[in-house]
Amino acid sequence: MSEVAEEHALVMAGHQEFLTFTLGEEEYAIDILKVQEIRGYDAVTRIANTPDYIKGVINMRGVIVPVVDMRLKFHVGQAVYDQFTVMIILNLGERVVGMVVDGVSDVVALAPEQIRPAPEFGAAMDTQYIQGLASIDKRMAIVVDIEKLMTSSEMGLVDRVVAGN
């Protein structure tokens, strides 16, 4: 069976596909259906009075796309932009958003039972955007509800940036 046919069989068996990416030493996973494209990091146009994690906007084929640096958003070290830095373009309903990550790993198919609920950390860490922790081979990935995160009220700034306010 080819690799594509095998992936298709897993998805048909109730598995969901996720794109995995890295931020610092951690691996994260997001729903592959939210990903529009993956591209190298482009220079962005900075917008005044936005949080540091909103890097600015890019013009992507006539669409103004806000760009969020996930390293800064998740407080996982200083952002370094090099040839390995990647921008994942997300399509979240009516909104297109770019997110900067250290690198993209691969696409994995996960069964619901492979995703464990995230432990509660109390006030020390906000877990409302974390769907759970996934076991992938011998490593763990933090499964992020990327649509919930990007459409949250704290990220409402993304709407204002797009609107030009």
Side-chain angles (χ1 to χ4, degrees), residues 49-117:
N49 300 318
T50 57
D52 63 344
Y53 58 83
I54 297 182
K55 298 310 298 174
V57 296
I58 60 170
N59 184 339
M60 197 176 84
R61 297 182 290 279
V63 176
I64 303 301
V65 177
V67 176
V68 176
D69 190 316
M70 298 305 284
R71 293 171 287 199
L72 299 174
K73 175 68 183 136
F74 286 165
H75 307 289
V76 286
Q78 210 40 40
V80 176
Y81 303 97
D82 59 24
Q83 71 271 24
F84 302 111
T85 305
V86 177
M87 191 179 308
I88 301 171
I89 306 299
L90 303 168
N91 193 331
L92 306 173
E94 311 224 343
R95 180 177 313 159
V96 177
V97 178
M99 67 182 216
V100 179
V101 300
D102 290 335
V104 171
S105 304
D106 54 6
V107 176
V108 295
L110 298 173
E113 60 271 10
Q114 285 178 274
I115 302 173
R116 302 273 182 242

